[in-house]
Amino acid sequence: MNVVLANPRGFCAGVDRAVKIVDLALEVFGPPVYVRREIVHNSHVVSELRGKGAVFVQELDEVPTGGVAILSAHGVAPSVYEDAKRRGLQLIDATCPLVTKVHLEVHRFVRQGYHIVLIGHAGHDEVIGTMGQAPGNISLVENESQARSVSLPAGKKLVVLTQTTLGVDDTAVVLKTLRERFPVLELPPTDDICYATQNRQDAVKAMTERGMDLLLVVGSRNSSNAARLVEVGVARGVEGHLIDSADEIESSWVTGAKQVGVTAGASTPEHVVIAVLQRLQELGAAKIELCSMAEEDTVFQLPVLLREAMNRQKETHVG
C-alpha cells in the first residue's frame, strides 16, 4: 500500500491568521480572551486554544463588559459589531479577508439596486454572516434542486455570490441551472470560492487520476471545505471518509488498497495529518509520496487593534 499526500493541504492563510490572532491576543492581553463561536471549524484547534485560556461563547452577551472578544474567521452580521460597541468590548475581528471581500460585494451590489442570489449552505456560520449584511436583499440557494424552484424578485437586477468554501464543480452546476432560468443573472468581477478551497479540490482531483482506491480527508465534521474534499473524490468513484483524527481510521478501509490518498481541510493542523500518516504506516503503508498542485504563499495582515496592542507591549518592555 502506498500513500499519496496532497499538497497543498491543511491550514490556509485565513485560518493561519485566525489561530494566530487568538494566540497573540492571549499573549498580549492575558487569559481569558473570549471567542464568539469556533474560531475555525476544527475540534483540535478549538481544544488547543481552550487549553491556553480562550473561552468560546455562542454570543457576545456572554462576554464580561469591557472584555477582549474575538470574532471567528467565518464573518458576522453588522448587528454583532453593534453589540460589541454597545457593551464596550475590545473587539478583534478574525474574519478571513476573503469572506470580508464577499461582505463588501454584498453592500456594493445592494447600493447599486441588485438582488443577490447567494449559493451556500443554510446554517453555516459564514452564510449567516453574509446574509446578515443585507437581510431582505439576499436569496439563499443550496443546491441544483433549489436553483430550479427559487423565486426571485421580478424586475430587479440580479447577481450571484457564493460561500467561499463550496465545491467548485457542484457550484458550477447550480450556477448553470440558475442562469438557464434567469439569463440576466450577473457574475461578480472575481470568483468568491477562495483560492485555498480550489487548490485543495484540484489536488484531490489530481490524486484520483493516479488511480486512488481510498481517500482520507482529515477534518472535523462541521468543516464545510473538508466535507467538499470527500465529495470531490466520491464524485470520481473513490471511496472517501472524513476523519477528525487517526483513531477514526478503520483497518477494513485499507484492506486490499494499493493507493490511499490523504489530504486535510483548510482548518486542520499538520500534526493531526502526521498522526494519520503514522497510523497508515502501522497498517502497512510502504511509501508516502507527494502530489503537488500549487505552492501557497499568501499572508494576511493582523487586525489593527491587535497590532497596536502588540506595539504598546513592545514599547513598555523597551521602556
Side-chain angles (χ1 to χ4, degrees), residues 8-305:
R9 64 184 175 279
F11 276 16
C12 62
V15 166
D16 191 53
R17 172 180 181 267
V19 175
K20 195 175 288 179
I21 285 169
V22 182
D23 272 330
L24 289 171
L26 285 163
E27 199 177 295
V28 173
F29 297 102
V33 300
Y34 296 84
V35 184
R36 182 184 180 274
R37 311 282 171 90
E38 291 190 349
I39 185 70
V40 296
H41 286 156
N42 186 270
S43 63
H44 300 278
V45 170
V46 170
S47 176
E48 286 162 21
L49 292 174
R50 189 177 279 127
K52 295 176 182 178
V55 178
F56 291 87
V57 298
Q58 275 298 106
E59 297 300 343
L60 293 183
D61 58 15
E62 299 171 56
V63 182
T65 302
V68 176
I70 300 173
L71 301 178
S72 81
H74 309 105
V76 297
S79 57
V80 177
Y81 296 102
E82 290 158 18
D83 287 347
K85 191 175 180 182
R86 192 180 66 251
R87 303 199 49 252
L89 301 180
Q90 297 182 75
L91 191 68
I92 302 172
D93 190 354
T95 300
C96 174
L98 299 178
V99 174
T100 300
K101 166 186 164 284
V102 177
H103 291 183
L104 294 173
E105 286 174 340
V106 168
H107 293 291
R108 184 171 81 250
F109 285 121
V110 168
R111 279 198 308 272
Q112 293 172 0
Y114 283 84
H115 183 83
I116 295 163
V117 180
L118 177 65
I119 303 176
H121 299 293
H124 188 279
D125 286 337
E126 183 187 326
V127 167
I128 292 168
T130 300
M131 294 193 72
Q133 304 302 312
N137 291 292
I138 303 178
S139 297
L140 180 64
V141 173
E142 293 188 81
N143 51 42
E144 186 182 2
S145 171
Q146 289 184 11
R148 295 190 186 285
S149 61
V150 67
S151 177
L152 299 177
K156 288 274 282 187
K157 293 189 290 184
L158 301 174
V159 65
V160 67
L161 300 176
T162 68
Q163 182 179 334
T164 62
T165 55
L166 295 182
V168 177
D169 298 340
D170 289 342
T171 303
V173 171
V174 174
L175 183 56
K176 181 173 181 289
T177 303
L178 284 167
R179 296 193 85 184
E180 283 168 359
R181 290 189 61 213
F182 306 99
V184 296
L185 181 66
E186 296 179 35
L187 301 176
T190 57
D191 193 1
D192 292 328
I193 295 176
C194 93
Y195 74 93
T197 297
Q198 290 182 324
N199 286 346
R200 280 150 190 71
Q201 291 177 20
D202 287 345
V204 170
K205 290 174 186 176
M207 289 196 298
T208 63
E209 287 166 11
R210 291 190 178 193
M212 189 167 45
D213 304 304
L214 173 72
L215 172 66
L216 298 179
V217 177
V218 192
S220 294
R221 298 282 177 273
N222 58 342
S223 170
S224 172
N225 74 86
R228 303 293 80 77
L229 293 174
V230 178
E231 290 171 3
V232 169
V234 169
R236 286 159 179 74
V238 177
E239 179 188 343
H241 298 279
L242 179 60
I243 55 171
D244 203 16
S245 68
D247 298 341
E248 295 183 9
I249 299 172
E250 295 183 18
S251 55
S252 60
W253 296 346
V254 300
T255 303
K258 295 279 189 291
Q259 197 95 301
V260 177
V262 174
T263 189
S267 50
T268 303
E270 182 66 5
H271 69 82
V272 185
V273 179
I274 290 168
V276 166
L277 296 175
Q278 289 169 341
R279 178 63 183 137
L280 288 172
Q281 285 174 321
E282 289 169 9
L283 291 169
K287 189 170 68 169
I288 298 172
E289 55 190 72
L290 210 57
C291 177
S292 288
M293 288 301 292
E295 291 302 325
E296 295 176 350
D297 54 10
T298 302
V299 177
F300 294 129
Q301 268 202 330
L302 295 171
V304 174
L305 182 87

